[in-house]
Every structure is written in C-alpha cells, then in structure tokens.
Amino acid sequence: MTTSSSKRPLLQIGTAMAGWGTIGAFVLASGQSSFNVAFVRCLLGAVAIALVCLARGDFRATNLTRRNLLFIVGGGICLVFNWVFLFTAFQLTSITLATVLYHTEPFFVLLMGVIAFKEAITRHKVAWVVVAFAGLVATTEIWRLDSDDLGDGMVAGMACAAAAALLYGIATVTAKQVEGVKPQLTALIQFVIGIVLLLPFADLGSLASAGSGWAWLVPIGLFHTALLYFLMYSAVPKLPSATIAVVAFVNPAVAIVCDMVFFGHRLTLGEGVGILLIAVASLGVTLGWRLLPGTSKSLTPAAGSPVQAQSAEVIAAEPAAATPSSYAARS
C-alpha cells in the first residue's frame, strides 16, 4: 500500500493533472494564438507566484546553487516551448491525434528516469503504463481516422505534438533533480524565463483587444499555471517516474469528462473503456498491484547502483523510496 508520506504528493500531482484536463476549453474560448496563451500563462503565473514568495519570505535562503539553476533554467525552457508546440499541434492536426501523441510523454519520463537517473522500475509498473496508454488510445478512438483526415500541415502537427511530449518529459525529470529549492521559487524562475522567450512572438495588440477573452485567460494564468504548477513541483521530486508516468493519464480522462459535462459530448464505448483502464492503471501503479505473474524484478539498467539494490517489494509498496532527489522543499 501507499505510505502516508507519499499520499500528499500523489494527491497534489493528481489534482494538477485533473486540473490540466480542463485547460482545452479555456484555450479555445480565449480565441488567442498559442504564443499569446503561453505568454499570458507565464506573465500571470509569475505575478501570482512572486506575491506568494514575498508573503512567505521565500527569497531568503533560496539555495539557488549553480547546479540547481542549471536544471531550473533548462527545465523552464523545455516547459515553455512544450506549451507552444502543444497549442500549435491542436491547430495543425486534430485534437484526437495531438492528444495521443502528446501523451507518449509518460514513456519519455519513464525512460529518462531509468537511463539518466538510474531509478528502479519493475516490469509490473511498465505493464501498468502500457495499460494506461491503451486506455488513452481507446478514449480518443484513433482508429477512426482515415486518409481523408490527413491534410496540409498534419505531419507538422504530429511532429509538434511529439516535440511537446519530449520537452515536457525533460521538464519533468529535470524538476526531480532540483534540491532544496522551494517549488514556488522554481516555478517563478521558469515563468520569468518564459516571459522573456515568448515576448518577441506575442501579439500584444490582440491581447489588448481580447475583451471577454480575458475571462478565460486569467484562469489559465492563475489556476492552470500558478496553482497547478506549484502543486506539481511540490510533488514531482517526491515520486518515482513510474508513478508520475501513469498519473499523467488522468489528464486526458478528465478532458473527456469535461467535454461531456460542459459541451454535451456523449460518451462512446471506447471512451468509457479507456477511462476505466486509465483509472485502474493509476491505482495499480500507485498501490503496487501486480499485473504480471511472477516476482517484481527491477528493470534498472545500472548494475550495482544503490537504487537497484533495494528490494522490488519495497519499491512497489513505497513509491517515494525510489526518488533519487533529496529535495527538501515543502508546500
């Protein structure tokens, strides 16, 4: 079972993923370009987080070492352009196809966690990730696409979605390597980086005349960005990549439910089965359920590493034990 020490980060990252499942409706309703939406996310997110940091005194004893800054800046660049690539993918290709390609991100997280940071992972967790991805494919019903759906820009859109997935995966695993820096300070630095990078591409005139569009842009900046990224950065360093990989699939599941509730979408058989698979997979990896017969053997490639030496039973029972970072920040 999940230990009490890991319940809070699981709740935090689960809340973040569920919240991001609603962002599509806000982006479409805003009527703004992908660069404008990403710029507003950074601008409003930075203002909100800066106020939080001032109120909490987080600018004292920041622990911004050279190593930490390297990971924060690198992750921030990846995070910002992940947004741009994803929003562009929605414009160039279908939301269905872009969603499937973008949510290959958990596989990048899993792979980089094992190869770059020597995290232990059992074949049961790999199996649960596959089940979750099968659930995603079922919810989007990608098999319904035919040659008529492949128009101009489709290939470019698919490439953008894949690039967004890779960049988000890098941002996630680099966040796990930041040690002793408060999550809100990490988010603030990355949002400021985003403001600088996106300002040359933002259409300020369009934003100035957005009118009612700001009713959708403001929640994107304050809720979907400031609050949810604070929750994510509080949770990510305390969880293994395998757990993060599966919980990420909560995002598209919530997007389907949001579409049903607010836009009258009727749930298809494929979507119903997919949401169920995603829910079961999330529980399976979190609670350490065994999907395959036999013992839970570690698949970590580095022989003799400290993480690999741990019992697979302990890793399955206590997800936080596999976290390589000694990240000291608390929300």
Side-chain angles (χ1 to χ4, degrees):
M1 295 179 61
T2 306
T3 62
S4 58
S5 62
S6 64
K7 288 180 181 179
R8 185 175 183 180
L10 280 172
L11 178 61
Q12 289 172 327
I13 199 168
T15 300
M17 294 302 172
W20 285 323
T22 68
I23 195 173
F26 287 79
V27 172
L28 293 176
S30 73
Q32 294 295 310
S33 69
S34 57
F35 278 105
N36 279 3
V37 175
F39 176 74
V40 169
R41 292 193 79 174
C42 292
L43 181 62
L44 296 183
V47 171
I49 292 294
L51 293 176
V52 171
C53 290
L54 281 173
R56 294 165 56 109
D58 292 331
F59 293 115
R60 300 189 299 268
T62 61
N63 199 29
L64 289 175
T65 63
R66 186 173 182 178
R67 178 182 182 277
N68 281 337
L69 278 174
L70 178 64
F71 282 116
I72 291 173
V73 172
I77 293 172
C78 292
L79 180 68
V80 169
F81 283 102
N82 144 74
W83 295 340
V84 174
F85 276 117
L86 178 61
F87 297 153
T88 303
F90 285 138
Q91 296 171 356
L92 294 177
T93 185
S94 68
I95 291 178
T96 294
L97 189 56
T99 300
V100 170
L101 291 175
Y102 182 63
H103 281 85
T104 57
E105 171 267 327
F107 291 97
F108 290 118
V109 173
L110 204 61
L111 184 61
M112 286 184 284
V114 172
I115 295 177
F117 304 122
K118 305 301 185 292
E119 291 188 0
I121 179 174
T122 67
R123 59 196 182 97
H124 298 291
K125 289 185 177 180
V126 173
W128 282 124
V129 171
V130 173
V131 169
F133 186 73
L136 176 65
V137 173
T139 60
T140 56
E141 297 185 329
I142 192 173
W143 58 83
R144 292 180 181 269
L145 294 177
D146 54 36
S147 58
D148 293 335
D149 296 314
L150 299 175
D152 295 337
M154 180 65 73
V155 175
M158 294 169 63
C160 284
L166 176 60
L167 289 174
Y168 186 72
I170 296 174
T172 300
V173 296
T174 54
K176 290 171 63 62
Q177 298 305 302
V178 178
E179 300 182 348
V181 179
K182 293 180 174 63
Q184 56 269 27
L185 188 57
T186 296
L188 174 60
I189 295 172
Q190 294 188 335
F191 295 159
V192 170
I193 291 170
I195 293 172
V196 175
L197 292 176
L198 295 174
L199 181 59
F201 305 100
D203 185 348
L204 300 183
S206 177
L207 287 173
S209 60
S212 61
W214 280 100
W216 303 97
L217 290 171
V218 170
I220 289 174
L222 300 183
F223 173 70
H224 294 99
T225 306
L227 176 60
L228 297 189
Y229 273 98
F230 170 74
L231 292 178
M232 186 193 75
Y233 283 133
S234 297
V236 162
K238 308 165 192 174
L239 295 170
S241 295
T243 299
I244 297 169
V246 174
V247 175
F249 287 101
V250 170
N251 184 319
V254 170
I256 293 292
V257 174
C258 183
D259 199 17
M260 291 172 54
V261 173
F262 296 104
F263 301 104
H265 176 73
R266 297 183 63 181
L267 189 67
T268 65
L269 177 61
E271 290 169 342
V273 171
I275 291 174
L276 179 61
L277 288 175
I278 290 169
V280 172
S282 296
L283 288 173
V285 75
T286 301
L287 301 178
W289 293 346
R290 294 185 178 184
L291 181 61
L292 302 175
T295 58
S296 182
K297 295 181 179 179
S298 172
L299 301 181
T300 305
S305 67
V307 173
Q308 186 187 41
Q310 298 181 52
S311 165
E313 292 291 337
V314 173
I315 295 169
E318 301 183 58
T323 304
S325 174
S326 59
Y327 197 92
R330 293 292 182 271
S331 59

